[in-house]
Amino acid sequence: MSSTRYSILALALATLFSASSAISFYIWKKNLIEWDSKMKELQKSLNSALEKCAAERQGRIRAQQALRKAVVAQPQAKSENLDIPSYPMAPIGIVQSCFSTRNGTPRQPLLVPLARACLVFDSTRVPPASLEGLEEYSHCWIIYVFHLNTDLEKLWKHPSKSKFKAKVRVPRLKGGRMGVFATRSPHRPCPIGLTVAKVEAVQGNMLLLSGIDLVDGTPVLDIKPYLPYCESIEGAVVPNWVMLDSMLSVASVGFSNDFSSSLLDCWKSVEKKSLYSSPDELKSLVKQALSWDIRSVSQRNRPHNNLLKIGSGDASDNASDLDDSQDGEASGELIYHLILDGMDFSYKIDGNGNVMVKEVHISSAISFGNEKRCNFLMWKDKLK
């Protein structure tokens, strides 16, 4: 009799435990569904806010670009700095570079030895005789204009109205600010740049260069030969933050299984107008260029998770430090773009700094004129 009671009690307890477990599971599942629903709503709200922000920024960028083009097209625009003497200067040549957009162009010279360009001089201002003897130097200085700055209209304003920023964000300081004259930022009171490049050859009114950090279309004001005996300063000192190469270097650069086949497909279209002699050489260029983190500070600060989706940007003119170089796939992973030699290389980078180049296709935003094609062919003649 007592065993029967124990059996009944055990059965009752088991039933109670089972019911309790079922109720607990039901509550847990209900909470999970509610949390999943809230997460989806939050993700949808976040994506909507990001898309709106990107659209607003794109609109502002395009307006700035239109204004920049209008300003450049009217050099006779009257300056508000009436009491400041001005010195009229015009470009002596234009750079035809492998870097089609600003994003991806190296931040400093000689970091990418395979980076090539043709500096084509204005024959009406620079006769070929002006270049005689330059080929005897290994390197030269190039003085140029930061023509893709979106705030060039400030040059025509009075200093009190130009809103000149005395401090700029520094990539090596993770966005920390430094006085503009302690940096090489393009956003300066006078947007003039100075760089050094390797002299490969001089042909007529064209200078062939390598190791460049200049975007295609850069106007050049002057060139000067590099003199190591007086310009290579032994014992020169720089701040510690300048020496932190690890801040901008990546851990590794790899290529997807499909990359080689997509590169070969593109090569058939660009071979005759490319600055490079083979797909392998182009692949080496991509690896050199991506060995340094070319993303902006704002891009590097974005989370490396697959919940974030960024709408694709317009790669036609990469004049911003955001938007134009990145987009999203269905998986939500951040995909960046490097436009080189008329081709669009898509890649991703994880939180540990490992770069994976996914594929390449012909860039719809880049076109080559006949003049540019002839100049590129001269490069290949030189390489032979």
Side-chain angles (χ1 to χ4, degrees):
M1 188 71 178
S2 107
S3 63
T4 302
R5 290 178 180 175
Y6 284 128
S7 298
I8 294 173
L9 180 61
L11 181 61
L13 289 175
T15 303
L16 180 63
F17 178 76
S18 177
S20 175
S21 299
I23 293 172
S24 298
F25 177 77
Y26 172 77
I27 294 174
W28 173 81
K29 186 175 181 180
K30 182 180 179 181
N31 289 338
L32 181 64
I33 293 174
E34 289 178 353
W35 276 107
D36 185 62
S37 177
K38 289 181 180 180
M39 284 293 292
K40 288 180 179 179
E41 290 179 4
L42 289 172
Q43 182 61 47
K44 184 178 180 180
S45 176
L46 175 61
N47 289 340
S48 176
L50 287 172
E51 289 174 1
K52 183 179 179 180
C53 180
E56 290 176 350
R57 181 159 186 168
Q58 283 288 349
R60 185 171 67 252
I61 290 168
R62 290 191 178 96
Q64 291 172 336
Q65 292 171 351
L67 179 59
R68 181 188 70 217
K69 291 178 181 178
V71 168
V72 173
Q74 297 180 2
Q76 71 278 11
K78 189 175 181 179
S79 172
E80 295 180 11
N81 303 325
L82 299 178
D83 298 330
I84 300 177
S86 60
Y87 305 90
M89 295 184 185
I92 62 172
I94 301 294
V95 171
Q96 296 178 352
S97 168
C98 64
F99 297 107
S100 305
T101 60
R102 193 176 72 171
N103 183 275
T105 304
R107 289 188 172 91
Q108 301 298 341
L110 308 179
L111 293 180
V112 182
L114 278 174
R116 295 172 181 164
C118 305
L119 172 51
V120 182
F121 293 92
D122 181 353
S123 57
T124 63
R125 305 189 67 230
V126 181
S130 304
L131 302 177
E132 289 183 6
L134 183 59
E135 71 278 1
E136 297 179 28
Y137 294 89
S138 66
H139 295 77
C140 69
W141 294 106
I142 302 172
I143 302 172
Y144 62 96
V145 178
F146 288 110
H147 69 300
L148 290 185
N149 282 5
T150 56
D151 55 357
L152 289 181
E153 75 278 3
K154 292 181 180 180
L155 298 178
W156 278 265
K157 293 182 178 180
H158 191 276
S160 63
K161 301 179 181 179
S162 66
K163 297 182 180 180
F164 164 66
K165 293 183 179 180
K167 288 191 173 184
V168 295
R169 294 185 182 276
V170 181
R172 291 176 186 266
L173 292 178
K174 295 184 178 180
R177 296 184 180 274
M178 189 64 63
V180 65
F181 294 124
T183 74
R184 294 193 173 187
S185 168
H187 301 287
R188 321 178 73 80
C190 293
I192 296 175
L194 173 67
T195 189
V196 65
K198 189 175 187 299
V199 176
E200 295 288 352
V202 177
Q203 297 183 356
N205 70 329
M206 186 176 66
L207 178 61
L208 305 180
L209 303 165
S210 65
I212 55 99
D213 61 345
L214 301 174
V215 68
D216 190 59
T218 296
V220 172
L221 300 176
D222 193 18
I223 60 170
K224 304 176 187 295
Y226 174 80
L227 305 176
Y229 77 90
C230 61
E231 294 174 340
S232 178
I233 304 173
E234 185 177 353
V237 177
V238 299
N240 290 334
W241 59 266
V242 175
M243 303 303 294
L244 296 177
D245 287 342
S246 59
M247 294 298 298
L248 294 179
S249 59
V250 302
S252 67
V253 178
F255 296 86
S256 70
N257 295 331
D258 298 329
F259 176 80
S260 295
S261 59
S262 64
L263 179 59
L264 284 174
D265 290 340
C266 290
W267 181 251
K268 297 174 184 177
S269 300
V270 304
E271 179 180 4
K272 293 183 178 180
K273 52 194 176 185
S274 173
L275 281 164
Y276 298 88
S277 60
S278 68
D280 288 339
E281 193 174 36
L282 261 175
K283 184 176 180 179
S284 296
L285 169 66
V286 172
K287 187 170 184 177
Q288 287 183 7
L290 294 180
S291 293
W292 299 86
D293 195 340
I294 61 178
R295 298 174 301 167
S296 67
V297 172
S298 57
Q299 288 174 336
R300 292 201 303 276
N301 288 340
R302 287 186 180 274
H304 291 275
N305 59 54
N306 60 3
L307 293 177
L308 187 61
K309 293 184 180 180
I310 304 296
S312 61
D314 177 10
S316 61
D317 189 353
N318 218 330
S320 73
D321 60 358
L322 187 61
D323 305 315
D324 288 348
S325 64
Q326 64 184 42
D327 63 20
E329 289 192 336
S331 64
E333 64 183 359
L334 286 177
I335 302 296
Y336 300 94
H337 296 270
L338 174 65
I339 312 297
L340 278 178
D341 207 37
M343 287 173 281
D344 184 343
F345 297 84
S346 60
Y347 71 97
K348 61 181 181 179
I349 180 169
D350 64 23
N352 296 319
N354 298 297
V355 173
M356 175 58 65
V357 186
K358 297 173 68 66
E359 60 183 0
V360 57
H361 60 267
I362 301 298
S363 175
S364 59
I366 308 301
S367 61
F368 293 90
N370 290 331
E371 179 185 359
K372 193 172 206 178
R373 177 173 175 177
C374 291
N375 292 334
F376 287 1
L377 290 176
M378 287 185 182
W379 246 117
K380 291 194 172 180
D381 290 339
K382 190 267 174 186
L383 292 173
K384 292 177 181 178

